[in-house]
Amino acid sequence: MRKLFQFSFLLLLGLILGCSSTFKTNYNAAKKEALDTMVAERTFEIVSRSALPLATNSLNSISNAGLLPLGSTGNRVDLTTTPNYLRIIGDSLDVFLPYFGERQMGGGYNNTNVGITFKGLPKKFEITQNEKTQGYTMSFVIKNQGESYTVTTELFPNHNSSINVISTHRTPIGYNGKISEYSANE
């Protein structure tokens, strides 16, 4: 009985130690330095590869009907062939992100803007260094035609990004993409 207890204890201890998690980001020093420079100069662009809408019954119905881009599901939409960007140019933002999800409040008459668009100075713009990921967390609030968006973006040293958008009129949505340098002359 004692050996069974010792064996069980060692097995449990091994399981606990084996399942402990550590956060480790794979990147090289050159990419980290390039990200630091882009953030310091505030001139970069994020192009999303996928949108991550909140999977609702309506969105799943649209997905099942085959109305989403090829290779997409109700909770992940492929954006590789869809134009989109989030550009930081000094203190200004230029945002053009497609939206997939449900609008909770009316969009008004003659509103052709179905995506998330903004050009100008955001409110509460903040970029802080994230010690855990060795990257940056960027957050801001933008307002467009009576609708307000709270945006939180994670910038990782391997030049990947994660954008989360919470709207006053729509269900939340996220985007995964890549960070690159941006020149206003392009």
Side-chain angles (χ1 to χ4, degrees), residues 123-147:
K123 296 179 181 179
K124 301 179 184 177
F125 186 82
E126 185 177 300
I127 298 178
T128 57
Q129 191 157 16
N130 188 330
E131 296 297 325
K132 186 175 182 180
T133 64
Q134 299 298 306
Y136 294 89
T137 301
M138 180 174 65
S139 59
F140 53 88
V141 175
I142 54 178
K143 198 171 197 177
N144 192 7
Q145 298 177 352
E147 188 172 3

Tab-separated table of all heavy atoms in Angstrom, residues 123-147:
chain	number	residue	atom	x	y	z
A	123	LYS	N	-8.454	58.743	-29.684
A	123	LYS	CA	-8.523	59.172	-28.286
A	123	LYS	C	-7.818	58.127	-27.432
A	123	LYS	O	-7.806	56.948	-27.757
A	123	LYS	CB	-9.972	59.287	-27.836
A	123	LYS	CG	-10.760	60.347	-28.569
A	123	LYS	CD	-12.182	60.389	-28.085
A	123	LYS	CE	-12.959	61.433	-28.849
A	123	LYS	NZ	-14.344	61.493	-28.434
A	124	LYS	N	-7.231	58.551	-26.350
A	124	LYS	CA	-6.598	57.656	-25.373
A	124	LYS	C	-5.574	56.718	-26.016
A	124	LYS	O	-5.522	55.535	-25.714
A	124	LYS	CB	-7.636	56.848	-24.610
A	124	LYS	CG	-8.629	57.689	-23.853
A	124	LYS	CD	-9.650	56.825	-23.149
A	124	LYS	CE	-10.702	57.673	-22.471
A	124	LYS	NZ	-11.728	56.877	-21.849
A	125	PHE	N	-4.763	57.225	-26.914
A	125	PHE	CA	-3.760	56.413	-27.603
A	125	PHE	C	-2.591	56.135	-26.660
A	125	PHE	O	-2.029	57.051	-26.070
A	125	PHE	CB	-3.265	57.151	-28.852
A	125	PHE	CG	-2.337	56.343	-29.699
A	125	PHE	CD1	-2.833	55.429	-30.604
A	125	PHE	CD2	-0.963	56.481	-29.599
A	125	PHE	CE1	-1.986	54.678	-31.399
A	125	PHE	CE2	-0.103	55.742	-30.380
A	125	PHE	CZ	-0.617	54.841	-31.282
A	126	GLU	N	-2.236	54.866	-26.531
A	126	GLU	CA	-1.167	54.484	-25.612
A	126	GLU	C	-0.430	53.250	-26.131
A	126	GLU	O	-1.054	52.281	-26.555
A	126	GLU	CB	-1.787	54.172	-24.249
A	126	GLU	CG	-0.808	53.884	-23.157
A	126	GLU	CD	-1.521	53.665	-21.824
A	126	GLU	OE1	-2.209	54.577	-21.357
A	126	GLU	OE2	-1.378	52.551	-21.282
A	127	ILE	N	0.902	53.295	-26.102
A	127	ILE	CA	1.728	52.134	-26.428
A	127	ILE	C	2.613	51.863	-25.215
A	127	ILE	O	3.347	52.739	-24.776
A	127	ILE	CB	2.601	52.354	-27.668
A	127	ILE	CG1	1.749	52.601	-28.905
A	127	ILE	CG2	3.505	51.153	-27.904
A	127	ILE	CD1	2.536	52.873	-30.172
A	128	THR	N	2.515	50.653	-24.676
A	128	THR	CA	3.335	50.274	-23.529
A	128	THR	C	4.095	48.998	-23.856
A	128	THR	O	3.627	48.165	-24.639
A	128	THR	CB	2.482	50.044	-22.266
A	128	THR	OG1	1.500	49.044	-22.554
A	128	THR	CG2	1.794	51.310	-21.820
A	129	GLN	N	5.261	48.856	-23.254
A	129	GLN	CA	6.045	47.643	-23.471
A	129	GLN	C	5.460	46.512	-22.631
A	129	GLN	O	5.100	46.696	-21.479
A	129	GLN	CB	7.507	47.868	-23.102
A	129	GLN	CG	8.385	46.731	-23.547
A	129	GLN	CD	9.828	47.153	-23.706
A	129	GLN	OE1	10.230	48.184	-23.226
A	129	GLN	NE2	10.599	46.325	-24.394
A	130	ASN	N	5.353	45.344	-23.238
A	130	ASN	CA	4.835	44.166	-22.572
A	130	ASN	C	6.024	43.290	-22.185
A	130	ASN	O	6.648	42.670	-23.043
A	130	ASN	CB	3.878	43.417	-23.507
A	130	ASN	CG	3.159	42.286	-22.838
A	130	ASN	OD1	3.673	41.669	-21.904
A	130	ASN	ND2	1.968	41.994	-23.320
A	131	GLU	N	6.341	43.264	-20.901
A	131	GLU	CA	7.513	42.519	-20.425
A	131	GLU	C	7.369	41.015	-20.641
A	131	GLU	O	8.350	40.318	-20.887
A	131	GLU	CB	7.755	42.808	-18.938
A	131	GLU	CG	8.101	44.255	-18.645
A	131	GLU	CD	9.399	44.705	-19.289
A	131	GLU	OE1	10.334	43.889	-19.385
A	131	GLU	OE2	9.466	45.877	-19.697
A	132	LYS	N	6.142	40.525	-20.550
A	132	LYS	CA	5.925	39.083	-20.681
A	132	LYS	C	6.241	38.577	-22.089
A	132	LYS	O	6.872	37.544	-22.260
A	132	LYS	CB	4.483	38.750	-20.302
A	132	LYS	CG	4.176	37.281	-20.271
A	132	LYS	CD	2.773	37.019	-19.784
A	132	LYS	CE	2.480	35.550	-19.702
A	132	LYS	NZ	1.126	35.278	-19.241
A	133	THR	N	5.781	39.321	-23.095
A	133	THR	CA	5.991	38.880	-24.483
A	133	THR	C	7.196	39.528	-25.136
A	133	THR	O	7.522	39.188	-26.271
A	133	THR	CB	4.752	39.206	-25.335
A	133	THR	OG1	4.585	40.631	-25.391
A	133	THR	CG2	3.510	38.543	-24.801
A	134	GLN	N	7.819	40.511	-24.471
A	134	GLN	CA	8.925	41.284	-25.013
A	134	GLN	C	8.486	42.131	-26.202
A	134	GLN	O	9.309	42.588	-26.985
A	134	GLN	CB	10.102	40.376	-25.412
A	134	GLN	CG	10.691	39.597	-24.266
A	134	GLN	CD	11.271	40.515	-23.206
A	134	GLN	OE1	12.084	41.370	-23.498
A	134	GLN	NE2	10.824	40.356	-21.974
A	135	GLY	N	7.179	42.326	-26.349
A	135	GLY	CA	6.633	43.149	-27.424
A	135	GLY	C	5.984	44.398	-26.855
A	135	GLY	O	6.440	44.937	-25.850
A	136	TYR	N	4.896	44.824	-27.498
A	136	TYR	CA	4.206	46.043	-27.094
A	136	TYR	C	2.698	45.811	-27.085
A	136	TYR	O	2.179	45.014	-27.861
A	136	TYR	CB	4.531	47.188	-28.058
A	136	TYR	CG	5.973	47.601	-28.012
A	136	TYR	CD1	6.914	46.993	-28.833
A	136	TYR	CD2	6.407	48.587	-27.138
A	136	TYR	CE1	8.243	47.355	-28.791
A	136	TYR	CE2	7.741	48.959	-27.081
A	136	TYR	CZ	8.645	48.344	-27.912
A	136	TYR	OH	9.961	48.695	-27.851
A	137	THR	N	2.017	46.550	-26.217
A	137	THR	CA	0.564	46.582	-26.193
A	137	THR	C	0.145	47.988	-26.574
A	137	THR	O	0.568	48.958	-25.956
A	137	THR	CB	0.011	46.228	-24.803
A	137	THR	OG1	0.467	44.918	-24.452
A	137	THR	CG2	-1.499	46.257	-24.793
A	138	MET	N	-0.672	48.089	-27.601
A	138	MET	CA	-1.147	49.377	-28.079
A	138	MET	C	-2.660	49.424	-27.886
A	138	MET	O	-3.363	48.485	-28.258
A	138	MET	CB	-0.786	49.512	-29.567
A	138	MET	CG	-1.220	50.793	-30.212
A	138	MET	SD	-0.593	50.949	-31.906
A	138	MET	CE	-1.424	49.615	-32.750
A	139	SER	N	-3.154	50.493	-27.293
A	139	SER	CA	-4.600	50.619	-27.105
A	139	SER	C	-5.033	52.036	-27.441
A	139	SER	O	-4.289	52.996	-27.229
A	139	SER	CB	-4.992	50.244	-25.679
A	139	SER	OG	-4.342	51.078	-24.759
A	140	PHE	N	-6.245	52.149	-27.992
A	140	PHE	CA	-6.785	53.457	-28.348
A	140	PHE	C	-8.294	53.333	-28.535
A	140	PHE	O	-8.852	52.239	-28.615
A	140	PHE	CB	-6.129	54.022	-29.612
A	140	PHE	CG	-6.155	53.094	-30.798
A	140	PHE	CD1	-7.216	53.085	-31.672
A	140	PHE	CD2	-5.099	52.233	-31.034
A	140	PHE	CE1	-7.233	52.232	-32.764
A	140	PHE	CE2	-5.089	51.388	-32.125
A	140	PHE	CZ	-6.171	51.389	-32.995
A	141	VAL	N	-8.935	54.486	-28.598
A	141	VAL	CA	-10.376	54.569	-28.832
A	141	VAL	C	-10.573	55.430	-30.071
A	141	VAL	O	-9.975	56.501	-30.192
A	141	VAL	CB	-11.110	55.185	-27.622
A	141	VAL	CG1	-12.583	55.371	-27.916
A	141	VAL	CG2	-10.916	54.326	-26.386
A	142	ILE	N	-11.405	54.945	-31.006
A	142	ILE	CA	-11.735	55.725	-32.194
A	142	ILE	C	-13.244	55.817	-32.308
A	142	ILE	O	-13.979	54.957	-31.821
A	142	ILE	CB	-11.118	55.112	-33.480
A	142	ILE	CG1	-11.500	53.645	-33.643
A	142	ILE	CG2	-9.622	55.284	-33.490
A	142	ILE	CD1	-10.971	52.989	-34.925
A	143	LYS	N	-13.701	56.879	-32.935
A	143	LYS	CA	-15.133	57.110	-33.106
A	143	LYS	C	-15.395	57.431	-34.560
A	143	LYS	O	-14.670	58.227	-35.163
A	143	LYS	CB	-15.567	58.266	-32.209
A	143	LYS	CG	-17.033	58.326	-31.960
A	143	LYS	CD	-17.337	59.359	-30.895
A	143	LYS	CE	-18.736	59.109	-30.376
A	143	LYS	NZ	-19.090	60.004	-29.300
A	144	ASN	N	-16.436	56.798	-35.128
A	144	ASN	CA	-16.775	56.998	-36.522
A	144	ASN	C	-18.289	56.957	-36.674
A	144	ASN	O	-18.913	55.936	-36.386
A	144	ASN	CB	-16.114	55.918	-37.378
A	144	ASN	CG	-16.184	56.220	-38.852
A	144	ASN	OD1	-16.604	57.295	-39.260
A	144	ASN	ND2	-15.776	55.260	-39.658
A	145	GLN	N	-18.886	58.052	-37.100
A	145	GLN	CA	-20.324	58.162	-37.346
A	145	GLN	C	-21.164	57.685	-36.157
A	145	GLN	O	-22.068	56.874	-36.303
A	145	GLN	CB	-20.712	57.387	-38.606
A	145	GLN	CG	-20.050	57.926	-39.856
A	145	GLN	CD	-20.392	57.114	-41.085
A	145	GLN	OE1	-21.003	56.066	-40.997
A	145	GLN	NE2	-19.987	57.611	-42.236
A	146	GLY	N	-20.841	58.154	-34.963
A	146	GLY	CA	-21.621	57.818	-33.779
A	146	GLY	C	-21.280	56.481	-33.149
A	146	GLY	O	-21.803	56.141	-32.097
A	147	GLU	N	-20.432	55.718	-33.779
A	147	GLU	CA	-20.022	54.422	-33.241
A	147	GLU	C	-18.618	54.535	-32.666
A	147	GLU	O	-17.742	55.150	-33.260
A	147	GLU	CB	-20.049	53.364	-34.347
A	147	GLU	CG	-19.822	51.972	-33.865
A	147	GLU	CD	-20.057	50.930	-34.956
A	147	GLU	OE1	-20.340	51.305	-36.110
A	147	GLU	OE2	-19.935	49.745	-34.645
